[in-house]
Amino acid sequence: MKTIENKLTLPESALNRLYDCTGTQSDDTKGFLLFYINSFGQPAVTSKSSTMTVEMALSKIVEVFVNSQGSDNPLK
C-alpha cells in the first residue's frame, strides 16, 4: 500500500475492506486511490492496487477528472 502522508490515520482494516470491495472476482483488477482530509486536518492520499496496470488506470482517471473540472460531467 502506498501512502503519501506522515501518519496513516485510517484503520488498516477499513482500507483492506475497501480494497476487497473493488475490482472483479479476479485479483488482477482490484485497487483504489483515496483522497481525504486526515485527523490532523491535512490533505492525504493512500492507494492500493493489485497490478501496475490498475495503478496506471487509477492515475489516469484522476488526471481526466482534474483536467475536466468545470465541465458538467467530468468523467465523460
Side-chain angles (χ1 to χ4, degrees):
M1 183 164 313
K2 188 187 312 179
T3 304
I4 305 173
E5 63 172 299
N6 293 333
K7 293 183 180 181
L8 186 62
T9 58
L10 296 174
E12 190 71 30
S13 60
L15 297 174
N16 287 334
R17 184 162 173 126
L18 176 62
Y19 177 78
D20 290 341
C21 293
T22 64
T24 61
Q25 294 290 331
S26 171
D27 281 341
D28 61 347
T29 61
K30 292 187 174 289
F32 68 86
L33 184 60
L34 177 66
F35 295 90
Y36 64 102
I37 302 300
N38 66 20
S39 61
F40 304 107
Q42 303 165 330
V45 62
T46 188
S47 68
K48 183 175 183 178
S49 57
S50 57
T51 66
M52 189 62 132
T53 303
V54 172
E55 191 172 322
M56 290 186 325
L58 291 170
S59 295
K60 183 63 178 179
I61 196 67
V62 169
E63 178 186 334
V64 168
F65 179 78
V66 168
N67 289 336
S68 63
Q69 286 296 102
S71 66
D72 289 339
N73 190 343
L75 297 180
K76 278 193 171 181

